[in-house]
């Protein structure tokens, strides 16, 4: 049996140690390089208490995950200052891009923090609403919100020759304002009167008590135009609670809840449908095109279409389109 000298043992051990060191350094270099390649994408939607943003985000998330990049999801819960803080946190975490649905597109603090992010080279994609012109963003992706209001108004005019209308609004959301403006601009006939406006923040839990109070104190309306389905659902619940069956409700979204009501509730008349699935796919594509240095359109509008009691059976009523 061969005997290995002490000198040879030391030589072999030193070689083994060197080999292990090389392997460790290689592994560390690969790991470090991998971490360098991983992109961080920050997303902040005005509220996650709305299935529209949940579905939109699902489309983004599964694609970002497939690339092994990191998606940081934040919910400002309709609080502009919280959203400002979230954008600032994305900057600190080294985000490569930010996808934002602004709580308030005119908020000066939000504009300032987005401009700071943009100056640092962070790509910014705005979805579903828009920021004021003085905000520096790379792309804005939204449904044709003005046309959504137009479609609802035309449906109302086709159905009724006159109406007293209660508007359900969300004053700080530009997208909501565009929908209401499209609706009121189209109702040029003097037989259509706006008798009241309620700020519901686009939430059922705000719309329900507000409409209920209006019904009990000043039931002067026979039509409701809601900025979105979520507020419309709250309004219809208030109508149902008082057994009111002669108020037509028009809305924007095309959500599963509203489509079910079009099938089963007398007061639900129409919703101008948008697609969070398509918006999510395009938001992802815009973000990564920008990160790859490609040029993109600064503003993209997705088409909307009207879903009514007459055509509801042509749609999937269990989910979004």
């Amino acid at each position: 049996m061969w005997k290995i000298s002490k000198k040879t043992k030391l030589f072999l051990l030193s070689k083994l140690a060197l080999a292990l060191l090389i392997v460790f350094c290689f592994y560390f270099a690969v790991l470090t390089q991998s971490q360098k390649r991983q992109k961080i994408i920050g997303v902040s939607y005005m509220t996650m208490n709305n299935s529209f943003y949940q579905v939109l985000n699902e489309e983004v998330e599964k694609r970002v995950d497939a690339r092994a990049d990191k998606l940081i999801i934040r919910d400002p819960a309709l609080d502009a200052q919280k959203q400002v803080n979230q954008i600032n946190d994305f900057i600190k975490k080294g985000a490569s891009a930010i996808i934002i649905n602004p709580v308030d597109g005119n908020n000066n603090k939000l504009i300032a923090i987005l401009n700071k992010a943009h100056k640092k080279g962070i790509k910014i994609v705005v979805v579903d609403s828009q920021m004021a012109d003085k905000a520096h963003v790379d792309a804005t992706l939204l449904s044709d919100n003005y046309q959504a209001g137009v479609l609802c108004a035309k449906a109302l005019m086709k159905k009724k020759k006159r109406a007293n209308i209660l508007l359900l609004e969300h004053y700080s959301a530009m997208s909501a304002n565009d929908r209401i403006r499209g609706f009121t601009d189209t109702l040029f006939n003097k037989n259509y009167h706006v008798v009241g406006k309620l700020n519901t923040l686009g939430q059922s839990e705000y719309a329900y008590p507000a409409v209920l109070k209006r019904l009990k104190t000043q039931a002067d309306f026979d039509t409701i135009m809601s900025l979105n389905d979520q507020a419309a659902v709250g309004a219809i619940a208030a109508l149902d609670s008082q057994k009111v069956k002669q108020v037509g409700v028009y809305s924007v979204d095309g959500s599963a809840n509203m489509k079910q009501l079009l099938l089963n509730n007398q007061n639900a008349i129409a919703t101008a449908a948008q697609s969070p699935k398509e918006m999510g796919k395009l938001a992802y594509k815009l973000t990564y095109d920008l990160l790859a240095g490609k040029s993109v359109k600064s503003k993209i509008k997705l088409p909307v279409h009207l879903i009514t009691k007459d055509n509801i059976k042509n749609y999937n009523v269990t989910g979004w389109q």
Side-chain angles (χ1 to χ4, degrees):
M1 189 171 180
W2 292 92
K3 289 186 178 181
I4 301 174
S5 67
K6 184 176 181 181
K7 185 176 181 180
T8 302
K9 285 181 181 179
L10 289 172
F11 175 78
L12 291 174
L13 286 172
S14 67
K15 290 293 184 182
L16 179 60
L18 180 61
L20 290 172
L21 180 62
I22 292 171
V23 169
F24 175 79
C25 289
F26 177 78
Y27 174 77
F28 182 78
V30 169
L31 181 63
T32 302
Q33 189 63 28
S34 174
Q35 289 174 337
K36 284 181 180 177
R37 284 199 301 267
Q38 186 185 54
K39 293 179 176 63
I40 297 173
I41 314 295
V43 296
S44 176
Y45 308 101
M46 66 169 68
T47 174
M48 292 303 284
N49 184 30
N50 186 330
S51 61
F52 181 91
Y53 299 116
Q54 296 169 17
V55 172
L56 191 163
N57 188 68
E58 285 170 6
E59 296 297 326
V60 175
E61 187 171 19
K62 65 186 179 184
R63 288 167 173 79
V64 172
D65 286 349
R67 300 180 74 116
D69 286 338
K70 184 176 181 180
L71 191 72
I72 304 174
I73 306 163
R74 294 291 181 264
D75 177 6
L78 298 171
D79 186 323
Q81 184 56 53
K82 281 185 180 179
Q83 193 164 52
V84 170
N85 296 341
Q86 289 165 4
I87 302 305
N88 192 48
D89 187 54
F90 294 157
I91 295 171
K92 291 179 179 179
K93 284 183 164 60
S96 300
I98 293 170
I99 299 173
I100 179 173
N101 167 242
V103 171
D104 182 353
N106 287 306
N107 184 279
N108 288 327
K109 290 183 179 179
L110 186 57
I111 291 168
I113 197 66
L114 286 174
N115 287 347
K116 177 181 177 181
H118 190 268
K119 191 174 181 179
K120 289 180 175 291
I122 300 172
K123 304 302 181 184
I124 300 170
V125 176
V126 182
V127 296
D128 188 50
S129 191
Q130 59 261 55
M131 291 295 303
D133 291 340
K134 56 186 177 180
H136 299 149
V137 304
D138 295 286
T140 299
L141 171 64
L142 66 169
S143 300
D144 193 339
N145 291 302
Y146 186 89
Q147 180 63 13
V150 171
L151 291 176
C152 288
K154 286 182 175 180
L156 169 59
M157 294 170 73
K158 185 177 179 180
K159 189 174 183 64
K160 300 177 71 171
K161 298 301 181 184
R162 63 187 70 248
N164 292 321
I165 305 159
L166 180 64
L167 300 178
L168 305 186
E169 302 189 80
H170 183 179
Y171 300 151
S172 64
M174 290 188 183
S175 56
N177 294 333
D178 285 345
R179 295 167 189 177
I180 297 299
R181 187 164 52 87
F183 180 80
T184 55
D185 284 355
T186 306
L187 294 175
F188 54 85
N189 193 306
K190 63 182 180 181
N191 290 327
Y192 299 95
H193 302 284
V194 173
V195 298
K197 301 178 181 181
L198 300 175
N199 187 20
T200 66
L201 300 179
Q203 301 293 300
S204 296
E205 58 266 34
Y206 289 98
Y208 175 81
V211 173
L212 185 60
K213 181 179 179 181
R214 182 84 184 198
L215 280 169
K216 290 180 176 181
T217 59
Q218 198 174 355
D220 56 350
F221 57 94
D222 56 36
T223 301
I224 291 175
M225 172 59 192
S226 174
L227 75 131
N228 69 359
D229 284 353
Q230 202 158 338
V233 168
I236 291 171
L239 295 171
D240 289 347
S241 74
Q242 300 301 298
K243 296 181 170 50
V244 176
K245 299 185 182 299
Q246 302 300 323
V247 175
V249 179
Y250 299 78
S251 182
V252 179
D253 267 344
S255 67
N257 287 342
M258 191 64 180
K259 285 185 284 191
Q260 287 285 350
L261 288 169
L262 286 171
L263 278 174
N264 304 309
N265 190 286
Q266 183 177 331
N267 291 316
I269 304 299
T271 179
Q274 52 178 345
S275 174
K277 290 184 178 181
E278 187 65 20
M279 191 173 289
K281 292 173 188 176
L282 281 174
Y284 161 81
K285 186 177 187 305
L286 282 170
T287 300
Y288 278 87
D289 280 352
L290 286 165
L291 290 173
K294 298 179 182 178
S295 60
V296 303
K297 288 184 179 180
S298 61
K299 191 171 186 178
I300 299 173
K301 282 186 180 180
L302 299 177
V304 293
H305 58 277
L306 198 69
I307 302 177
T308 68
K309 287 186 178 297
D310 294 332
N311 65 12
I312 183 60
K313 292 184 179 179
N314 299 329
Y315 291 88
N316 168 25
V317 296
T318 62
W320 288 85
Q321 46 285 330

